[in-house]
Amino acid sequence: MQFLAFIIAYPFLWFISILPFRIFYWISDIVYFIVYYIIRYRKETVRNNLKITLPHLSDKERLVIEKKFYQHFCDQFMEMTKTMTFSHKEMDKRFKITNLELMKEYEEKGKSIMLLASHYANWEWLVALNLKMSYQGVAVYKKIANRYFDKLIKDIRSKYNTVLVSTEKTIPLMADNNRKGILCVYGLVSDQSPKTAQIAHWESFMGIETPVHIGPELLSKKYNLNVVFAKIKKVKRGYYEATIVPITDDAKSLPNYEIIHRYIKEVEKQIYEAPEYYFWTHKRWKHHQNA
């Protein structure tokens, strides 16, 4: 059944990926209409997330953000398929790093780098950074149940020489690389809610006390990594910029949870600047305490 679902979907995804951008985004507009007005995909979750995190806005203002989010949400899904047939030249034109020299400086320090990002704008295209780095890029991802789609996602994300590692294999890989002296850039997107059994720390996120993943904090300190945040901006449809924001170059010297605190504050600032580009369909605040 998994293979059947894959062979039905794959030709459609491939065909979409080779379309000219004008037609590509015209289809995205149609998908948006279906997803938002007909299927109403997770609309209640999105609306509730916006209400509790942006209470200072009126219902009308939040509705504008909601619609813009769904338009971007559909664009991003479409853009992920585009990566299947994207050339390196095209990616370089559409996803730029504004201060690449900072990453070069971090490479010269001779320590591996923890690159934190959030579910914002088009974080998927951040894998293109690996084309500009001498360190090996490693992207941590959550394995997909359908093994054929899982392989497709891995192939797409590893197209730019990035190594894909599932969450459960991350620690063994980092330990092995550290032992062998292999320098890497480890990319993690860690702004979603941890499982109940994994809750160990709470932070104020968008004004709400909510549990956070502490894995990046623990790993950064254990292996003495430089830590940076990738702030992604949507310039216009199909074009993005990433700015590297330093978190720390001395992880072990910081108090417990300071790294994750700085990370969450950077994510917040990014969302407040243009909330329509955050991934509001996740139940990020399903566990929360009164701030």
Side-chain angles (χ1 to χ4, degrees):
M1 185 61 72
Q2 287 189 355
F3 182 65
L4 179 61
F6 176 75
I7 62 174
I8 291 173
Y10 182 81
F12 173 73
L13 296 174
W14 181 85
F15 175 74
I16 291 294
S17 75
I18 64 173
L19 291 174
F21 276 98
R22 181 174 59 84
I23 300 175
F24 181 83
Y25 284 118
W26 177 73
I27 293 177
S28 184
D29 289 337
I30 295 175
V31 173
Y32 158 70
F33 182 85
I34 295 171
V35 169
Y36 185 76
Y37 290 102
I38 299 176
I39 299 177
R40 299 172 62 86
Y41 176 71
R42 294 198 176 185
K43 187 178 284 190
E44 184 177 340
T45 296
V46 171
R47 194 161 290 178
N48 183 63
N49 282 341
L50 290 173
K51 184 176 182 180
I52 64 175
T53 59
L54 301 172
H56 58 287
L57 299 180
S58 67
D59 289 344
K60 184 177 180 180
E61 289 171 321
R62 286 195 294 268
L63 182 60
V64 170
I65 293 171
E66 177 184 303
K67 291 181 177 180
K68 286 182 177 180
F69 158 71
Y70 275 98
Q71 289 173 328
H72 169 72
F73 175 73
C74 295
D75 277 1
Q76 190 194 359
F77 171 77
M78 297 285 287
E79 287 165 357
M80 186 174 69
T81 67
K82 198 70 173 173
T83 317
M84 294 171 65
T85 53
F86 239 9
S87 68
H88 291 181
K89 182 179 179 181
E90 187 69 28
M91 176 64 84
D92 190 56
K93 183 176 76 172
R94 291 178 173 271
F95 193 94
K96 295 188 177 296
I97 311 297
T98 65
N99 58 340
L100 185 62
E101 68 280 357
L102 182 62
M103 290 298 285
K104 297 296 185 181
E105 290 177 15
Y106 272 101
E107 282 187 321
E108 291 173 2
K109 294 178 184 294
K111 296 195 301 184
S112 287
I113 303 167
M114 176 76 74
L115 176 71
L116 298 175
S118 64
H119 289 84
Y120 187 90
N122 192 336
W123 68 90
E124 292 282 351
W125 283 1
L126 195 58
V127 294
L129 174 64
N130 197 47
L131 295 174
K132 306 176 186 298
M133 301 285 293
S134 60
Y135 283 13
Q136 174 62 61
V138 178
V140 179
Y141 84 108
K142 187 175 181 180
K143 195 171 183 179
I144 298 174
N146 185 310
R147 63 190 178 99
Y148 300 101
F149 280 109
D150 184 68
K151 183 180 183 304
L152 176 61
I153 293 298
K154 288 178 69 175
D155 288 344
I156 291 174
R157 291 175 175 173
S158 62
K159 183 178 178 181
Y160 301 94
N161 302 322
T162 300
V163 173
L164 269 290
V165 58
S166 59
T167 50
E168 65 271 15
K169 295 180 179 180
T170 302
I171 295 177
L173 176 67
M174 292 182 72
D176 189 54
N177 286 342
N178 184 67
R179 186 169 56 252
K180 295 176 179 177
I182 299 174
L183 299 175
C184 298
V185 178
Y186 298 101
L188 283 82
V189 181
S190 300
D191 57 323
Q192 294 303 312
S193 184
K195 295 178 180 178
T196 304
Q198 298 174 341
I199 295 176
H201 181 64
W202 298 68
E203 283 281 342
S204 175
F205 181 31
M206 301 296 289
I208 301 168
E209 288 294 319
T210 186
V212 293
H213 286 283
I214 62 172
E217 167 106 15
L218 299 178
L219 293 171
S220 298
K221 289 190 172 185
K222 182 173 183 178
Y223 297 112
N224 194 28
L225 307 180
N226 292 314
V227 186
V228 298
F229 173 71
K231 180 181 179 181
I232 303 174
K233 177 182 177 182
K234 187 170 186 176
V235 180
K236 60 180 180 178
R237 204 172 199 184
Y239 290 85
Y240 301 86
E241 289 181 350
T243 299
I244 306 302
V245 180
I247 298 293
T248 183
D249 60 0
D250 191 6
K252 290 185 175 182
S253 71
L254 296 180
N256 289 341
Y257 309 120
E258 178 63 20
I259 292 173
I260 205 67
H261 172 75
R262 293 182 184 183
Y263 164 64
I264 289 296
K265 293 303 118 180
E266 290 296 338
V267 177
E268 272 188 352
K269 286 190 289 185
Q270 186 172 241
I271 295 172
Y272 281 128
E273 287 178 10
E276 61 267 31
Y277 302 133
Y278 190 59
F279 209 48
W280 294 106
T281 52
H282 282 193
K283 294 182 178 180
R284 179 61 186 93
W285 292 273
K286 60 185 176 182
H287 307 296
H288 64 270
Q289 299 174 341
N290 293 328

